[in-house]
């Protein structure tokens, strides 16, 4: 594919390979927070496992969120016939955000039911998804609206705008989730679960894998 004048384009294979590898590592790191509880005198294993419920829940939510991001990221890149420097740079910024999600997940799971630190942990957790969803939306916008010369001809302007609209929901919802964390971390948890379910369930006639994260099926 010949790029527009003045723009150098590259094959997409290496960008996809790097992205898949980084996302696979990030999603695998989530399980490291599911630790075997240490034996404690007078406390049964069932009780100790039950005490880890925040870890289980945060793991599932973040796994689904990153998984949905991967679905939409895969769809976004597969639309391209080539990538250019700007797409590579924004994609790297997205990977930077995704790699941080295991840390914010662990932080949230650790402090969710703690009287001190729970509010800040919830804000950080939702904030990490807010930033990730914004960067993903920026990548989508760059690909769909600014790099039309790298897209197949059948992807009309109306279709490209439609692909962006579903992804517009995630950033404001994550912002609300972060603000609600100042009230109680459990509200943040509820909003993140709801948004994850929204993007996980097919959206009628719209293509589920086409719009941006907890973060976005097209959503992401």
């Amino acid at each position: 594919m010949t790029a527009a004048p003045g723009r150098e384009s590259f094959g997409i294979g290496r960008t996809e390979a790097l992205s898949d590898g980084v996302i696979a590592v990030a999603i695998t790191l989530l399980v490291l927070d599911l630790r075997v509880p240490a034996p404690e005198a007078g406390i049964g294993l069932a009780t100790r496992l039950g005490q880890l419920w925040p870890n289980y829940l945060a793991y599932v939510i973040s796994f689904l969120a990153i998984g949905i991001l991967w679905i939409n990221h895969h769809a976004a890149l597969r639309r391209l016939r080539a990538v250019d420097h700007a797409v590579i740079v924004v994609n790297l910024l997205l990977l930077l955000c995704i790699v941080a999600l295991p840390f914010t997940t662990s932080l949230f799971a650790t402090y969710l039911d703690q009287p001190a630190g729970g509010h800040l942990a919830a804000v950080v957790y939702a904030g990490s998804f807010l930033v990730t969803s914004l960067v993903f939306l920026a990548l989508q916008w760059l690909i769909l609206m600014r790099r039309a010369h790298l897209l197949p001809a059948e992807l009309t302007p109306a279709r490209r705008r439609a692909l962006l609209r579903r992804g517009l929901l995630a950033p404001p919802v994550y912002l609300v989730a972060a603000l609600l964390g100042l009230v109680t971390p459990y509200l943040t948890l509820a909003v993140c679960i709801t948004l994850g379910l929204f993007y996980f369930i097919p959206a009628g006639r719209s293509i589920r894998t086409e719009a941006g994260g907890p973060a976005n099926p097209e959503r992401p």
Side-chain angles (χ1 to χ4, degrees), residues 124-213:
V124 171
Y125 181 69
S128 66
F129 279 113
L130 168 61
V131 174
T132 302
S133 65
L134 285 171
V135 177
F136 183 82
L137 191 60
L139 179 64
Q140 286 278 65
W141 177 82
L142 176 64
I143 290 173
L144 294 170
M145 309 309 292
R146 303 294 293 177
R147 294 298 183 267
H149 63 286
L150 299 176
L151 295 169
E154 63 269 18
L155 206 57
T156 64
R159 176 60 176 155
R160 284 183 267 139
R161 288 192 296 271
L163 292 175
L164 280 176
R165 278 197 292 269
R166 189 165 162 85
L168 291 173
L169 174 66
V173 173
Y174 280 127
L175 177 59
V176 170
L179 295 175
L180 288 175
L182 298 173
V183 180
T184 171
Y186 294 99
L187 285 176
T188 297
L189 190 64
V191 173
C192 289
I193 290 173
T194 302
L195 186 61
L197 291 175
F198 171 78
Y199 282 122
F200 192 71
I201 297 172
R205 289 181 299 172
S206 64
I207 304 251
R208 188 179 147 211
T209 55
E210 310 241 297

Side-chain angles (χ1 to χ4, degrees), residues 21-93:
V22 170
I23 294 173
V25 170
I27 210 168
T28 302
L29 287 175
L30 292 173
V31 79
L32 296 182
D33 204 41
L34 301 182
R35 301 182 181 92
V36 176
E40 225 177 290
I43 302 180
L45 177 59
T47 301
R48 295 286 288 134
L49 288 172
Q51 291 171 344
L52 292 176
W53 71 266
N55 300 68
Y56 307 144
L57 194 54
Y59 166 76
V60 172
I61 295 171
S62 295
F63 188 98
L64 289 177
I66 296 177
I68 292 168
L69 271 169
W70 176 79
I71 292 172
N72 290 280
H73 181 269
H74 176 71
L77 290 188
R78 293 304 294 174
R79 293 189 202 104
L80 291 167
R81 288 180 279 189
V83 295
D84 63 9
H85 181 74
V87 173
I88 292 173
V89 169
V90 178
N91 186 67
L92 284 174
L93 290 176

